Amino acid sequence: TQLLEQSPQFLSIQEGENLTVYCNSSSVFSSLQWYRQEPGEGPVLLVTVVTGGEVKKLKRLTFQFGDARKDSSLHITAAQPGDTGLYLCAGPHGGGFKTIFGAGTRLFVKA
Amino acid sequence: EPEVTQTPSHQVTQMGQEVILRCVPISNHLYFYWYRQILGQKVEFLVSFYNNEISEKSEIFDDQFSVERPDGSNFTLKIRSTKLEDSAMYFCASSSDGFSGELFFGEGSRLTVL
């Protein structure tokens, strides 16, 4: 059982379309992070959401944290080929300075 | 911009051999991590390290694995006797706050065990 479930697993869209990807858990998280990973590289932190109901915007990307702090979404407006990549949600879990990751949503934006 | 650096970028080894993967975390970070990603699979937590000791480790991090901070800058992951299933990308990460989930990753070391 995954602690952080991401959906969809794979998404292929045309340039200019909008999309939303989801990260869900049955557990409450103190915060959730979104990372983007390109092939052969390490994940790169995009944003952290901390407060239930929080919305953060990063250019065409909008991140939302659920009111109960169990889920988060990432919305991309007018997707571009440069948005192609693996989008990972993550969060601190348990003690011992451990951050766990979801399996990711692989996004492909066609020109 | 400060970054986490990892060496080697790719290592090929025979099953049963020892491997050491090296990392230089961001200089003012205090929390260090190793993660593993098998090709096409999720990023898996291996171990976290703070104040010169392991804070937490996963079930993957068995007796064949060890970590060390031999000096003020390097952070290493040793696999004593590699197995075929150890073939993966190994990522080092560091953080200024162990509770935040905000990790800065290196480019990874690809380990291939033959």
Side-chain angles (χ1 to χ4, degrees):
Chain A
T1 304
Q2 307 267 10
L3 268 170
L4 288 170
E5 297 273 357
Q6 291 193 244
S7 60
Q9 288 183 303
F10 182 79
L11 190 56
S12 179
I13 61 170
Q14 288 292 137
E15 182 176 5
E17 292 183 2
N18 301 332
L19 67 116
T20 303
V21 299
Y22 300 92
C23 175
N24 293 290
S25 178
S26 57
S27 301
V28 175
F29 281 80
S30 59
S31 66
L32 281 178
Q33 289 73 47
W34 286 92
Y35 291 79
R36 180 165 162 243
Q37 185 181 25
E38 300 199 40
E41 298 184 10
V44 176
L45 179 66
L46 296 175
V47 80
T48 292
V49 285
V50 178
T51 306
E54 180 177 9
V55 176
K56 278 191 173 176
K57 290 196 171 189
L58 195 67
K59 297 183 182 177
R60 294 177 293 99
L61 278 59
T62 301
F63 304 85
Q64 187 160 9
F65 201 11
D67 291 340
R69 291 188 285 125
K70 291 182 178 182
D71 55 89
S72 182
S73 63
L74 158 59
H75 180 81
I76 301 179
T77 303
Q80 298 176 0
D83 296 327
T84 293
L86 179 66
Y87 289 84
L88 300 162
C89 72
H93 180 72
F97 316 125
K98 177 181 177 180
T99 294
I100 61 168
F101 283 77
T105 292
R106 191 167 297 280
L107 172 65
F108 181 65
V109 182
K110 293 175 279 189
Chain B
E1 187 173 318
E3 58 180 19
V4 175
T5 58
Q6 290 186 240
T7 54
S9 56
H10 188 194
Q11 181 152 359
V12 181
T13 191
Q14 295 290 326
M15 191 168 56
Q17 295 295 303
E18 177 182 284
V19 160
I20 298 176
L21 305 179
R22 292 181 168 80
C23 169
V24 179
I26 293 173
S27 61
N28 63 344
H29 285 181
L30 300 177
Y31 303 85
F32 313 116
Y33 311 82
W34 284 100
Y35 283 81
R36 180 181 83 174
Q37 188 175 34
I38 294 170
L39 188 63
Q41 298 187 25
K42 67 184 295 186
V43 176
E44 299 177 290
F45 171 81
L46 291 178
V47 67
S48 58
F49 190 88
Y50 170 72
N51 200 28
N52 279 321
E53 60 182 26
I54 290 173
S55 301
E56 187 159 346
K57 58 185 181 180
S58 72
E59 60 274 11
I60 302 168
F61 195 89
D62 62 21
D63 292 344
Q64 293 300 312
F65 290 86
S66 62
V67 289
E68 196 177 34
R69 188 153 161 84
D71 52 44
S73 59
N74 290 284
F75 180 52
T76 62
L77 174 70
K78 182 193 290 186
I79 310 174
R80 285 190 187 81
S81 178
T82 49
K83 302 188 280 282
L84 295 176
E85 55 265 36
D86 293 328
S87 294
M89 196 74 151
Y90 288 81
F91 291 106
C92 174
S94 69
S95 176
S96 59
D97 176 353
F99 297 104
S100 71
E102 296 182 341
L103 307 180
F104 292 83
F105 284 84
E107 295 279 293
S109 292
R110 180 170 298 284
L111 176 64
T112 302
V113 182
L114 302 176

